[in-house]
C-alpha cells in the first residue's frame, strides 16, 4: 500500500493536481488483535493541498472476529472508507529535512517521497469494527450455567441461576400475587 508521490509533490498548491491508484494486497496483517482473511482491495485518491497531500479512498476486506455472545469465530466482510492528511519530511526539490509537523492526526511522506497507507487503513479498520461483534443478529449466546451454545438448541439446565441478592424481590413478587 505504498505510492510514490514525488511528481505530485512537485505540483504547485492550488493546481488541482491529483493522482489515483488501486490497492490490492495479499496476506496483510494490519493488527495483532484481528486477522485479515484474503486480500485487501480498494482505491486511493491523492490530492495536492497546502503543505502536503489529502488522501482518501476505500478498502474491501474480510476480518475474522469472535462473536461476543457465543464466542465462535466468524468472517466479517467490511467496506471501510478513509481520509487522511500526509505531510512531507523532506523538501521534494532540495532534499533538505523539513521541520516536523506539530499535529497528531497526520502521517509522514518519507524521505523517498512515498506514502504508506497501511497505518491509515489500519486505524480506519479499527474504528469500523463493531463494538460488539455478532456472528448473526439473533445470536442466542451461551447458557450462563453450563456453557451450552444456545444457537444449537436449548440446554438441559433446570432453572436459570438467580443471584441470591435478588431473593428479596422474589419474595415481594410472591407476596403481591397472594394479595
Amino acid at each position: 500500500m505504498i505510492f510514490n508521490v514525488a511528481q505530485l509533490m512537485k505540483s504547485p498548491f492550488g493546481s488541482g493536481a491529483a493522482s489515483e491508484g488501486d490497492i490490492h494486497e495479499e496476506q496483510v496483517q494490519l493488527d495483532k488483535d484481528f486477522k485479515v482473511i484474503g486480500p485487501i482491495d480498494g482505491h486511493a485518491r491523492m490530492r495536492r493541498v497546502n503543505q502536503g497531500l489529502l488522501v482518501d479512498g476505500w478498502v474491501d476486506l474480510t476480518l475474522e472476529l469472535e462473536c461476543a455472545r457465543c464466542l465462535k469465530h466468524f468472517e466479517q466482510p467490511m467496506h471501510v472508507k478513509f481520509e487522511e492528511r500526509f505531510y512531507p519530511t523532506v523538501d521534494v526539490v532540495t532534499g533538505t529535512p523539513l521541520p516536523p509537523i506539530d499535529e497528531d492526526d497526520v502521517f509522514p511522506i518519507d524521505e523517498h517521497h512515498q506514502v504508506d497507507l497501511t497505518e491509515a487503513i489500519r486505524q480506519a479498520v479499527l474504528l469500523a469494527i463493531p463494538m460488539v461483534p455478532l456472528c448473526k443478529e439473533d445470536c442466542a449466546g451461551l447458557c450462563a450455567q453450563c456453557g451450552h451454545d444456545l444457537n444449537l438448541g436449548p440446554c438441559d439446565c433446570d432453572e436459570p441461576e438467580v443471584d441470591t441478592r435478588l431473593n428479596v424481590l422474589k419474595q415481594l413478587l410472591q407476596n403481591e400475587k397472594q394479595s
Side-chain angles (χ1 to χ4, degrees), residues 8 12 17 23 27 32 42 45-47 59 95 118 133 136-137 139-141 152 154 159 163 170-171 176:
L8 188 56
I23 299 169
Q27 303 201 2
K32 63 179 175 59
R45 178 178 58 170
M46 294 158 267
R47 292 174 283 174
V59 291
T118 306
K136 57 185 180 180
E137 193 68 33
C139 177
L152 303 175
E159 206 174 294
D163 190 341
K170 186 176 181 182
Q171 288 175 349
E176 192 175 289

Side-chain angles (χ1 to χ4, degrees), residues 3-158:
F3 294 90
N4 188 312
V5 293
Q7 287 304 112
L8 188 56
M9 289 303 297
K10 289 179 184 177
S11 302
F13 169 66
S15 66
S19 175
E20 296 193 27
D22 289 327
I23 299 169
H24 179 80
E25 295 287 330
E26 298 279 344
Q27 303 201 2
V28 174
Q29 189 59 38
L30 293 176
D31 197 275
K32 63 179 175 59
D33 294 333
F34 58 84
K35 180 181 177 186
V36 178
I37 299 172
I40 294 178
D41 291 308
H43 189 78
R45 178 178 58 170
M46 294 158 267
R47 292 174 283 174
R48 181 76 167 99
V49 295
N50 188 22
Q51 297 181 340
L53 297 175
L54 179 65
V55 180
D56 64 346
W58 54 268
V59 291
D60 288 328
L61 69 153
T62 302
L63 296 180
E64 182 181 278
L65 300 176
E66 184 178 89
C67 180
R69 291 184 186 159
C70 68
L71 305 179
K72 285 185 179 175
H73 290 272
F74 68 99
E75 293 183 6
Q76 175 73 50
M78 299 180 75
H79 178 81
V80 180
K81 295 180 181 180
F82 62 91
E83 179 177 88
E84 297 295 343
R85 293 180 300 163
F86 286 79
Y87 288 106
T89 55
V90 296
D91 185 276
V92 71
V93 177
T94 64
T96 59
L98 296 172
I101 300 296
D102 192 29
E103 294 183 41
D104 292 335
D105 61 342
V106 297
F107 294 93
I109 299 171
D110 71 13
E111 63 275 359
H112 302 292
H113 314 295
Q114 293 181 336
V115 169
D116 186 356
L117 299 179
T118 306
E119 179 61 19
I121 291 172
R122 184 190 76 83
Q123 290 182 18
V125 169
L126 281 173
L127 290 173
I129 294 174
M131 289 181 70
V132 181
L134 299 176
C135 60
K136 57 185 180 180
E137 193 68 33
D138 60 342
C139 177
L142 302 175
C143 172
Q145 284 183 282
C146 68
H148 176 73
D149 186 352
L150 298 174
N151 293 314
L152 303 175
C155 63
D156 296 331
C157 294
D158 296 332

